[in-house]
């Protein structure tokens, strides 16, 4: 009924108005070889039926599969196997009255695409053809191959799942050669079994080849089979004799070459099928799914190799990894099974595997109609095909199998190392490649999304429930929610991030070829929604939106494909039918995952009729007083929908959904005993529900709604805000449940505090009204603050908190992990309390008004000093190291809270580590806020004497500042977290692969990245560390040492005050934390920029630049800048980096119109639109935290940052001029500042090698050199300024020395290494064109161009640069070798062996392009002279390049004969690097070279005369 209608809308395959079942093209590609249930043959055969005629579907085939008793015997067998059954009786039992012959035509097996290259998979059949010649002639006489082939076609087809091992004649001959070399005279006893098994007939081989998409055997196949057959008939002695005979007739060198080639090919293919006997005898044991498993994945016809042995650095290698998954078989628990039957079939050990008999009939699997029925387990494709079964139990079993496989893949991916996507394993450890399994399952071949969408329309509850669980697993619902639950515990969490799969746009010249482009959705948002309309059908009756379109979208993005297939109306129908509670929970969980996908998905959910109303009914069913897990999921869904936009949140509040979802807080306040007596399970459900209700309320508060509900909810909140009786909670094991509600309650109070108007400024209140615009704006009242502060301060008394006081004692080692976990729950509460107090204090003295510290506050609330004294009183920080304080009063014996939190940061449990970091962050924030309030209200401040305190001490600490007295303790915390960040800074760079967020089109964790990728607690912990470090470096301002200029320039590490060392560590840490920031950390990156570009830091960089020039002797210069120039650098660089990396890509108006036109054309053609790199498709793009949305999209922005982000300022000048044809002063200032910043950072970390690997040195030298080139791409304006020119030249010399050191350090391995510049020939040509047009042979410009001729640069770039210089006649403008980047040896060694480059050198020589270069001593002439001379005179006769040598020599001789002015050049060529001091050696070498030239002339008399001529000149000289 309604389910069928939902299926019709989702598949978009039927038109209700026409009432006609149309033929689905390529039906076999959609449903495999299984006939779709419910389709009659008439629907496909009768094309002339009336349009209005509609027939009910009739069963067209036998029920799939036929469930019979095993005693009846099998009703079919694999093709080519003879059944041991009497045909007559069995055929009668299998008869059916249904005429299924016409429909059977559509059940042909899917033909695989023919792969390129030789295929030796049919070697057994080829052997059988030759071995059949030994059979009696009577059996073959008079029977033609074509007739035999026809007989085989009538018998049946080969199972698609079976496969044969791969072997070739080369492998056999290589094995025999190896045997002969070792002196063995006898073949192994198992060689006949492994290499030459018997095969039934050649007809089977021919027919199997046709079924697999291969053509008939070729002549090479026949020769190969004949050779193998002859080798089998020969004895070992005969083989050895034949080998000796062949060796005598062939050239030994050729034999060696062939043998090496065979070994190389054999190595590439693996070990073929040379299986050890022990491997063949292995049984089908399930592999351990854990990471410690040393199991092996066996594939039919292949050696047992590590599943992840190949590297994923290239897409080809990744494809090979995924291809291996096709033949993997899985148990019902989702574990990978080793293939035993296929190995035995390939080795011929089991004669019964090709047929059924009494011996093996019990092994038949009645659930499988494809592949090998006797094989163990199921492949992924077999499980997907089984979803189409007509037996409900089989459909449910197939879905449960898929769910088990995907669950195993997800959880094993989580156990992997972050960013380890290579698939490599340790030697000897062979594990399952779950990453490839996940990618294959969600890939295009199984078409799992389409099958799941069809299964969701099933009319059996068990099938629908199993299908919902598989969809829930594919969308990674549980793992995603686990991540977001952890994320929302952090008080600094503001917005959620969309989990739709995305990929990076390609680097372009507009970005200076720098990586880190804008992210784009895998599928366009416009392709997600496909609603039928009046123009949905063409005039000829064909549909625009087809099932194939849905499949294509699902291949790109699973969630998008499900929405496009109409899953939302189906879920709505199932919820309205009051499904089982388990199914209801799964369905709502799926909706949550779809809502987290993207804003487009949220709009689809909101626009789906009755869907949100159906979810709201979950709260009111059966009176609404009982607790159900589905209510928790429904609350999460409302929260996620509300975060997407302010308008949706307003609709949810207005329709009453908020009141129904938060009914728990309207109940009368109850006691702790009443809550505990309800039981552990009730406490768990009630706690989870109340936490989500509070989070929903917090979202509404951030938009300015539901603030007035505080008076209604406060009575019920009092229980959770006050200190409880911890003994009862611990005794009943509900401490975690209670503290989770308390934590969220204080986070809600923190959100309420942020809506408070500024206590001393009504103007601030009016400004806040702009953020929450509208008539429904609400604010919290200051009259509610004081009671809340009193309750919060009570949680700062650490002595009253169990487990925390134990950790602060002296016996920390005696504290168990269970106690640490309980302490972690309390630390989360303390963290939320501290951040709530910070929010209140920030409304008294806002943090952004630090520059207005001279403006005093008229009065100060009494609770401010109370909060400050609570920090001091309860030993939250250590004050002993900063003054003469009494340790008995101000310090506990076990240490301060900061010491405990730093030690817990090392804990292996991520939740414990996160709670400690969050608590430390709140402590730093509240200490700064208390100091700021008291400093600005110093005149109005009146300290009150507290019990147990001396008034003088209290006044001193609060008056001078908590931060000042605890600075030693906080500096220790900063150093600890700097160490943590050092090991975390590379985490984000390893997540991106293949240009996408993951190898598979899932969502969230389903991106398929090892360890969860970005969606992992490890990444979250690194980002929390970064936020804490930024707040710590902010409270320790960088101070420029007054004696800085007096320090010895050659020993800048002599830091007398310690300020320089601290500044260096802070600079390094801030650069590192920039590399771990995600899309939600835009504000963090802005803070990092403010720190890095402040004037004191820039002055430090100037000092280090001058020291670098002195220490390395690069250039003696005293670089000095004025205060105005430092301020200018700060302004322009800050503006550039923010606009470059933080701006959101928006679509211009003319692009919108252009895209709309393209969209109409695309729809007219009935095809999906192309994702263009310069197009944006979603109206919601570009909206970030502007008060209207708490949802951040990965798409349309650039974060995470690439490692070389700080280089973007340098090429901006070239990019700007190339795109706009003019250059502004701001662009030039940005380039100057970028050069200064780069050199300053290089000098800083070079002079302080005691620091660990710096973020600057981690950037490849290629990117730095390329940035310098792009700066000259649009002109040489940057070189016209004297200071910038000096900096540019210093950078060249500095990188030149680095290149020279690298070459000297790894000279032996550098030959195989090349610097790969990701540039196009057009870029090289334009750069060289600019060099010739405006540089006038400028030395700095010329040495940058000459860089592309360095021997370490890849050959393609060197060839393009040389050709461009030669064609433009600019070779003579290049500088001499002594003034180039590197030493001359870097350009000359190793000797050039690229044929095209050598010919380009020779062409420039003969055309006269090097004449002026020789006169000026340019590096170009030295390059051509060196490489041509070394190649021509040192090429041996056995190198195979004699023809090229002769060709080049003759060209040079002809040029010499025609151009007499090149005589000096040719003499230099002839005498190059000949020792002049030793006359005898000189004559011998000169004579040898002349003989080489004569040999190259190939008896050409004219050229020989030129050799004699040059000989005479050479002897005279």
């Amino acid at each position: 009924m309604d389910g069928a209608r939902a299926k019709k809308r989702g598949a978009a395959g039927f038109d209700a108005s026409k009432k006609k079942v149309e033929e689905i093209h390529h039906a076999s590609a959609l449903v495999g070889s299984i006939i779709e249930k419910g389709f009659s043959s008439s629907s496909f055969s009768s094309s002339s039926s009336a349009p209005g005629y509609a027939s009910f579907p009739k069963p067209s085939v036998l029920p799939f599969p036929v469930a019979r008793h095993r005693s009846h015997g099998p009703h079919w067998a694999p093709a080519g196997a003879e059944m041991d059954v009497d045909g007559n009786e069995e055929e009668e039992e299998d008869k059916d009255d249904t005429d299924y012959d016409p429909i059977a035509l559509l059940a042909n097996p899917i033909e695989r695409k023919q792969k390129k290259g030789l295929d030796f998979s049919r070697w057994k059949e080829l052997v059988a053809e030759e071995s059949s010649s030994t059979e009696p002639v009577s059996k073959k006489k008079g029977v033609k191959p074509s007739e035999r082939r026809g007989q085989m076609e009538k018998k049946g087809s080969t199972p698609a799942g079976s496969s044969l091992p791969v072997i070739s004649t080369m492998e056999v001959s290589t094995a025999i050669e190896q045997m002969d070399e070792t002196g063995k005279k006898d073949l192994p006893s198992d060689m006949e079994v492994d290499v030459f098994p018997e095969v039934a007939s050649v007809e089977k081989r021919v027919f199997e080849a046709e079924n697999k998409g291969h053509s008939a055997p070729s002549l090479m196949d026949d020769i190969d089979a004949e050779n193998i057959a002859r080798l089998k008939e020969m004895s070992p002695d005969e083989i050895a004799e034949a080998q000796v005979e062949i060796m005598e007739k062939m050239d030994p060198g050729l034999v060696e070459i062939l043998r090496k080639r065979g070994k190389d090919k054999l190595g590439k293919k693996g070990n073929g099928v040379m299986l050890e006997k022990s491997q063949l005898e292995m049984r089908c044991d399930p592999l351990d799914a854990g990471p410690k498993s040393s199991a092996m994945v066996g594939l039919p016809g292949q050696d047992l190799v590590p599943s992840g042995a190949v590297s994923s650095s290239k897409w080809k290698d990744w494809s090979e990894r995924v291809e291996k998954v096709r033949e993997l078989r899985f148990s019902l628990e989702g574990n990978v099974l080793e293939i035993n039957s296929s190995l035995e079939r390939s080795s011929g050990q089991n004669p019964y595997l090709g047929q059924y008999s009494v011996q093996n009939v019990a092994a038949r699997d009645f659930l499988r109609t494809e592949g090998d029925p006797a094989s163990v387990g199921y492949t992924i494709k077999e499980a997907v095909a089984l979803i189409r079964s007509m037996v409900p139990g089989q459909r449910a079993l197939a879905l449960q199998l898929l769910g088990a496989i995907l669950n195993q893949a997800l959880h094993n991916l989580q156990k992997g190392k972050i960013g380890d996507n290579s698939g490599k394993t340790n030697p000897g450890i062979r594990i399952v490649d779950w990453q490839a399994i996940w990618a294959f399952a969600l890939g295009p071949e199984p078409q799992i999304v389409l099958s799941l969408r069809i299964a969701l329309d099933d009319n059996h509850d068990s099938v629908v429930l199993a299908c919902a669980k598989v969809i829930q697993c594919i969308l990674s619902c549980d793992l995603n929610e686990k991540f977001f639950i952890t994320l929302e515990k952090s008080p600094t969490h503001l917005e959620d991030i969309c989990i739709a799969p995305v990929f990076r746009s390609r680097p372009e010249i507009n970005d200076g070829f720098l990586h880190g482009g804008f992210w784009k959705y895998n599928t366009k948002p416009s392709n997600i929604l496909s609603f039928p309309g009046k123009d949905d059908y063409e005039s000829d009756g064909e549909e625009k939106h087809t099932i194939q379109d849905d499949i294509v979208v699902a291949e790109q993005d699973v969630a998008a494909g499900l929405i496009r297939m109409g899953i939302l109306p189906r879920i709505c129908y199932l919820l309205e039918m009051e499904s089982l509670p388990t199914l209801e929970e799964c369905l709502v969980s799926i909706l949550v995952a779809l809502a987290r996908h993207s804003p487009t998905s949220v709009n689809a959910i909101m626009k789906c009729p009755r869907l949100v109303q159906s979810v709201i009914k979950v709260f009111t069913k059966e009176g609404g007083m009982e607790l159900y897990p589905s209510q928790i999921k429904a609350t999460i869904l409302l929260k996620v929908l509300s975060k997407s936009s302010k308008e949706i949140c307003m609709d949810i509040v207005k329709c009453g959904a908020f009141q129904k979802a938060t009914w728990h807080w309207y109940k009368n306040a109850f006691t702790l005993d009443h809550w505990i007596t309800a039981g552990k399970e009730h406490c768990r459900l009630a706690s989870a529900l109340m936490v989500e209700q509070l989070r929903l309320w917090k979202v509404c508060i951030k938009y300015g709604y539901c603030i007035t509900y505080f008076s209604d909810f406060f009575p019920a909140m009092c229980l959770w805000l006050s200190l409880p009786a911890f003994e009862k909670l611990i005794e009943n094991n509900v401490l975690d449940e209670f503290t989770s509600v308390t934590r969220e309650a204080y986070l809600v109070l923190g959100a309420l505090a942020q809506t408070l108007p500024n206590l001393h400024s009504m103007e601030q209140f009016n400004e806040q009204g702009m953020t929450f615009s509208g008539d429904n704006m609400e604010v919290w009242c200051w009259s509610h603050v004081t009671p809340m502060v009193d309750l919060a301060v009570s949680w700062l008394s650490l002595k009253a908190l169990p487990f925390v006081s134990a950790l602060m004692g002296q016996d920390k080692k005696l504290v168990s992990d269970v106690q640490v976990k309980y302490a972690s729950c309390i630390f989360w509460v303390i963290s939320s309390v501290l951040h709530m107090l910070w929010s209140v204090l920030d409304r008294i003295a806002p943090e952004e008004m630090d520059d207005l510290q001279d403006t005093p506050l008229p009065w100060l609330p009494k609770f401010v000093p109370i909060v400050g004294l609570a920090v001091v009183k309860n030993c939250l920080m250590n004050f002993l190291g900063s003054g003469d304080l009494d340790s008995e009063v101000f310090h506990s014996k076990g240490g301060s809270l900061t010491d405990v939190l730093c030690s817990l940061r090392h804990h292996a449990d991520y939740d414990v580590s996160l709670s400690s970091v969050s608590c430390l962050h709140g402590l730093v924030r509240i200490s700064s806020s208390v100091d700021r309030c008291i400093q600005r209200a110093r005149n109005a401040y009146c300290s009150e004497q507290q019990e147990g305190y001396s008034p003088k001490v209290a006044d001193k600490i609060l008056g001078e500042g908590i931060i000042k007295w605890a600075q030693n303790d906080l500096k220790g915390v900063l150093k600890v977290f700097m160490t943590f960040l050092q090991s975390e800074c590379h985490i984000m760079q390893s997540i991106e692969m293949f240009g996408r967020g993951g190898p598979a089109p899932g969502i969230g964790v389903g991106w398929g990245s090892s360890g969860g990728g970005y969606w992992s607690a490890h990444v979250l912990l690194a980002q929390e560390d970064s936020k804490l470090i930024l707040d710590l470096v902010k409270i320790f301002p960088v101070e420029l040492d007054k004696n800085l200029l007096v320090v010895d320039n050659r020993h800048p590490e002599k830091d007398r005050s310690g300020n320089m060392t601290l500044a260096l560590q802070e600079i390094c840490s801030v650069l590192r934390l920039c590399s771990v920031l995600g899309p939600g950390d835009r504000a963090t990156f802005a803070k990092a920029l403010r720190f890095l570009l402040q004037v004191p830091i820039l002055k430090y960089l100037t000092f280090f630049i001058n020291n670098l020039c002195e220490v390395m002797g690069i250039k003696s210069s005293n670089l000095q800048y004025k205060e105005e120039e430092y301020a200018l650098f700060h302004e322009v660089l800050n503006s550039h980096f923010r606009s470059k990396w933080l701006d959101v890509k928006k679509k211009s108006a003319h692009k919108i119109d252009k895209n709309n036109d393209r969209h109409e054309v695309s729809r007219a053609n009935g095809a999906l639109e192309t994702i263009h790199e310069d197009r944006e498709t979603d109206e919601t793009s570009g909206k970030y935290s502007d008060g209207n949305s708490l949802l951040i999209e990965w798409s349309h922005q650039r974060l995470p940052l690439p490692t070389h982000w700080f280089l973007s300022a340098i090429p901006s000048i070239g990019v700007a001029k190339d795109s706009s044809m003019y250059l502004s002063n701001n662009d030039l200032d940005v380039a100057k500042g970028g050069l200064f910043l780069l050199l300053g950072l290089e000098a800083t970390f070079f002079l302080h090698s005691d620091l660990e690997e710096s973020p600057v040195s981690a950037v490849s030298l290629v990117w730095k050199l390329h940035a310098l080139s792009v700066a000259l791409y649009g002109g040489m304006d940057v070189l016209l300024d004297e200071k910038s020119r000096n900096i540019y030249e210093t950078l060249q010399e500095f990188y030149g020395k680095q290149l020279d050191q690298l070459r000297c350090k790894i000279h032996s391995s550098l030959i195989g290494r090349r610097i790969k510049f990701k540039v196009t020939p057009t870029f090289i040509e334009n750069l060289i064109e600019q060099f010739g047009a405006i540089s006038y042979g400028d030395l700095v410009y010329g040495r940058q161009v000459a860089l592309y001729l360095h021997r370490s640069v890849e050959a393609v770039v060197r060839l393009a640069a040389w050709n461009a210089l030669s064609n433009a006649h600019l070779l003579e403008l290049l500088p001499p070798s002594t003034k180039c980047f590197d030493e001359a040896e870097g350009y000359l060694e190793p000797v050039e062996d690229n044929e095209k480059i050598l010919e380009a050198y020779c062409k420039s020589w003969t055309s006269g392009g090097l004449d002026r270069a020789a006169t000026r001593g340019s590096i170009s002439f030295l390059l051509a002279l060196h490489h041509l001379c070394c190649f021509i005179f040192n090429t041996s006769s056995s190198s195979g390049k004699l023809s090229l040598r002769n060709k080049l020599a003759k060209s040079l001789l002809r040029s010499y004969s025609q151009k007499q002015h090149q005589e000096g050049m040719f003499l230099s060529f002839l005498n190059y690097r000949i020792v002049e001091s030793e006359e005898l050696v000189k004559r011998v070498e000169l004579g040898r070279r002349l003989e080489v030239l004569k040999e190259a002339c190939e008896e050409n008399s004219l050229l020989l005369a030129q050799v004699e001529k040059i000989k005479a000149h050479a002897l005279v000289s």
Side-chain angles (χ1 to χ4, degrees), residues 307-517:
S307 60
V310 291
S311 173
S312 63
S313 59
K314 296 181 181 179
W315 183 260
K316 179 180 178 182
D317 296 333
W318 167 250
S319 301
E320 291 176 355
R321 287 172 57 189
V322 179
E323 283 288 328
K324 293 182 180 180
V325 181
R326 180 181 286 108
E327 303 298 337
L328 289 182
R329 294 191 175 276
F330 300 86
S331 67
L332 295 180
E333 293 79 17
N335 296 320
V336 179
L337 294 176
E338 301 220 6
I339 307 303
N340 185 42
S341 61
S342 297
L343 294 177
E344 291 184 352
R345 179 187 296 275
S346 63
S347 61
Q349 291 181 353
N350 194 339
Y352 297 103
L353 281 177
Q355 56 189 3
Y356 286 115
S357 62
V358 179
Q359 288 82 356
N360 69 347
V361 68
R364 178 185 173 234
D365 187 353
F366 284 90
L367 296 181
R368 185 183 296 106
T369 59
E370 291 186 341
D372 185 3
S375 297
V376 188
Y378 300 84
T379 64
I380 292 178
K381 293 184 65 177
E382 288 174 356
V384 174
L386 195 58
I387 298 177
R388 306 294 184 90
S389 171
M390 295 184 66
V391 180
Q394 295 175 0
R395 299 197 296 271
L397 178 64
L399 291 166
Q400 291 171 4
L401 172 59
L402 287 174
I405 295 172
L406 294 173
N407 264 316
Q408 288 278 14
L410 268 182
H411 288 88
N412 280 279
L413 281 174
Q414 288 296 295
K415 296 175 183 177
K417 185 179 179 181
I418 295 284
D420 184 14
N421 299 312
S422 62
K424 295 181 179 180
T425 58
N426 295 329
I429 300 179
R430 301 177 178 182
I431 62 175
V432 180
D433 192 353
W434 290 107
Q435 193 174 28
I437 292 174
W438 177 265
F440 178 82
L442 271 62
E445 187 169 335
Q447 295 184 359
I448 189 174
V449 180
L450 177 63
S451 300
L452 291 176
R453 179 61 191 91
I454 295 175
L456 196 63
D457 288 337
D458 206 287
N459 54 0
H460 290 79
D461 293 341
S462 60
V463 178
V464 176
L465 177 59
C467 178
K469 289 185 176 180
V470 177
I471 296 176
Q472 190 178 11
C473 182
I474 287 182
L475 299 182
S476 311
C477 295
D478 294 338
L479 291 176
N480 283 332
E481 287 309 308
K482 181 180 178 182
F483 171 81
F484 282 105
I485 287 174
T486 305
L487 181 64
E488 289 186 303
K489 288 182 180 180
S490 173
T492 59
H493 168 68
L494 298 177
E495 301 114 342
D496 284 348
I497 304 175
C498 295
I499 57 179
V502 292
F503 67 97
R504 288 268 197 189
S505 57
R506 296 187 303 269
E508 297 178 353
I509 182 59
N510 292 335
D511 295 326
F513 293 113
L514 292 176
H515 289 176

Side-chain angles (χ1 to χ4, degrees), residues 817 820-825 827-828 901 903-918 1021:
D817 290 339
V820 171
K821 288 288 293 183
Y822 282 134
S824 174
C825 302
F827 283 138
W828 278 119
L901 295 176
S903 63
L904 290 180
R905 174 57 181 80
H906 295 83
H907 201 274
D909 191 301
Y910 283 116
D911 189 75
V912 175
S913 299
L914 282 169
S915 64
S916 63
V917 176
S918 181
L1021 182 59

Side-chain angles (χ1 to χ4, degrees), residues 1179-1408:
E1179 316 63 51
T1180 61
S1181 64
K1183 295 181 180 179
Y1184 271 84
S1185 181
D1186 54 357
N1188 294 323
S1189 178
L1190 296 176
L1191 199 64
I1192 298 178
E1193 297 181 76
W1194 268 91
S1195 183
H1196 317 306
Q1197 55 89 39
R1198 296 180 184 270
L1199 297 177
L1201 296 171
T1203 55
H1204 53 262
W1205 63 269
F1206 52 85
L1207 296 177
S1208 62
I1210 300 176
S1212 62
I1213 180 174
V1215 173
K1217 191 166 184 179
D1218 180 67
S1219 58
S1220 60
M1221 302 307 294
Y1222 67 91
L1223 186 65
S1224 64
N1225 292 331
N1226 184 69
D1227 296 326
L1228 183 58
D1229 293 334
V1230 170
K1232 293 178 181 178
L1235 290 172
F1236 167 77
L1237 179 64
L1238 176 60
L1239 182 57
L1241 294 176
E1242 292 282 10
T1244 300
F1245 296 110
F1246 176 80
L1247 294 173
H1248 298 82
S1249 56
D1250 54 326
L1251 296 175
E1252 299 294 336
E1253 182 184 1
S1254 69
V1256 179
S1257 61
V1259 178
S1260 173
L1261 185 60
V1262 174
W1263 288 114
K1264 300 172 183 176
L1265 295 175
H1266 181 65
L1268 297 179
S1269 298
V1270 180
L1272 303 178
Y1273 186 75
M1276 53 183 301
D1277 302 78
V1278 72
L1279 299 180
L1280 299 180
D1281 180 76
E1282 182 180 358
K1283 293 181 181 178
S1284 298
R1285 182 182 180 87
N1286 291 337
I1287 291 178
Y1288 195 102
E1289 190 173 358
T1290 305
L1291 282 170
Q1292 285 184 330
E1293 296 182 7
F1294 179 74
Y1295 293 143
K1297 290 183 179 295
Q1298 284 190 353
L1299 195 60
D1300 183 55
Q1301 292 173 0
L1302 264 173
R1303 178 178 52 81
C1304 296
K1305 187 176 181 180
I1306 50 176
H1307 178 71
S1308 58
S1309 59
L1310 190 59
I1311 299 177
R1313 299 188 181 186
R1314 295 292 179 265
I1315 298 179
K1316 294 184 178 181
F1317 285 91
K1318 303 295 183 181
V1319 296
T1320 61
T1322 304
F1323 172 81
I1324 297 293
E1325 293 171 0
N1326 292 342
L1327 179 65
I1328 293 176
E1329 182 182 355
Q1330 290 285 342
F1331 171 61
I1334 63 177
S1335 71
Y1336 302 102
D1338 183 81
L1339 177 62
V1340 178
Y1341 205 147
R1343 71 198 305 189
Q1344 190 66 30
V1345 173
L1347 166 68
Y1348 294 97
L1349 301 177
H1350 196 275
R1351 193 63 180 87
S1352 299
V1353 179
E1354 57 184 353
V1356 178
V1357 178
R1358 284 186 282 123
L1359 180 60
W1362 183 272
N1363 287 335
L1365 287 168
S1366 180
N1367 295 336
H1369 305 285
L1370 301 175
L1371 291 173
E1372 66 271 13
L1373 296 183
L1374 295 181
S1377 60
T1378 56
K1379 297 183 179 181
C1380 284
F1381 246 87
D1382 191 7
E1383 299 293 338
E1385 188 178 356
Y1387 293 86
L1388 305 180
E1389 298 297 337
V1391 178
E1392 185 63 69
D1393 57 353
N1394 187 282
E1395 182 177 349
K1396 293 184 178 180
I1397 296 179
L1398 290 171
E1399 289 178 349
Y1401 289 159
C1402 185
K1403 180 181 178 181
S1404 300
W1405 184 300
T1406 57
S1407 64

Side-chain angles (χ1 to χ4, degrees), residues 170 254 256-267:
M170 177 270 299
L254 179 59
E256 188 65 25
I257 292 175
L258 293 176
R259 180 177 292 142
K260 290 182 179 179
R261 183 184 301 175
K263 291 181 180 179
D264 293 341
K265 292 182 178 179
L266 185 63

Side-chain angles (χ1 to χ4, degrees), residues 80-280:
E82 297 180 0
M83 301 177 59
D84 295 338
V85 199
D86 293 334
N88 296 332
E89 295 181 0
E90 295 299 331
E91 289 177 1
E92 290 178 1
E93 292 184 7
D94 287 343
K95 285 184 179 180
D96 189 85
D97 297 334
T98 307
D99 183 17
Y100 54 83
D101 287 337
I103 199 65
L105 298 176
L106 295 177
N108 291 331
I110 300 175
E111 295 184 359
R112 296 180 181 176
K113 295 182 179 180
Q114 184 175 0
K115 297 182 179 180
K116 298 181 180 180
L118 296 178
D119 177 51
F120 300 101
S121 61
R122 293 173 286 108
W123 65 276
K124 292 185 178 182
E125 296 86 341
L126 299 174
V127 175
E129 182 180 9
E130 294 300 328
S131 63
S132 62
S133 61
T134 61
E135 298 176 0
V137 181
S138 60
K139 293 184 180 181
K140 302 195 304 177
K141 187 175 182 181
V143 182
K144 298 180 180 179
S146 60
E147 295 176 359
R148 293 197 296 270
R149 187 181 303 112
Q151 295 173 3
M152 289 302 303
E153 291 175 356
K154 296 179 181 179
K155 290 184 180 181
S157 60
T158 303
S162 62
S163 60
L164 295 175
V166 181
I167 196 168
S168 64
T169 308
M170 177 270 299
E171 296 171 356
V172 177
S173 61
T174 304
I176 296 174
E177 290 175 5
Q178 294 174 351
M179 176 205 68
D180 183 66
E181 291 175 359
T182 55
K184 294 183 180 180
K185 298 299 182 180
D186 296 327
L187 287 173
S189 59
D190 59 344
M191 179 67 76
E192 296 181 359
V193 177
D194 291 343
V195 184
F196 308 112
E198 296 288 348
V199 182
S201 62
V202 70
E203 289 86 349
K204 178 180 177 181
R205 180 255 304 169
V206 175
F207 190 68
E208 286 182 352
E210 293 176 355
N211 281 343
K212 292 181 180 180
H214 301 298
S215 59
S218 63
L219 179 61
M220 295 300 296
D221 297 331
D222 295 337
I223 296 174
D224 184 48
E226 182 181 357
N227 293 337
I228 295 176
R230 288 184 180 180
L231 285 173
K232 180 183 177 182
E233 295 173 359
M234 297 172 66
S235 65
D237 295 336
E238 292 175 344
I239 291 175
E241 183 180 353
Q243 279 187 318
V244 173
E245 182 180 355
I246 293 174
M247 293 293 185
E248 293 176 352
K249 293 181 179 181
M250 297 181 64
D251 183 9
L254 179 59
V255 172
E256 188 65 25
I257 292 175
L258 293 176
R259 180 177 292 142
K260 290 182 179 179
R261 183 184 301 175
K263 291 181 180 179
D264 293 341
K265 292 182 178 179
L266 185 63
K268 292 180 180 178
K269 291 185 177 181
N271 295 326
V273 294
M274 301 297 180
L275 301 175
E276 298 178 0
K277 189 174 182 180
S278 60
Q279 293 174 342
L280 291 174

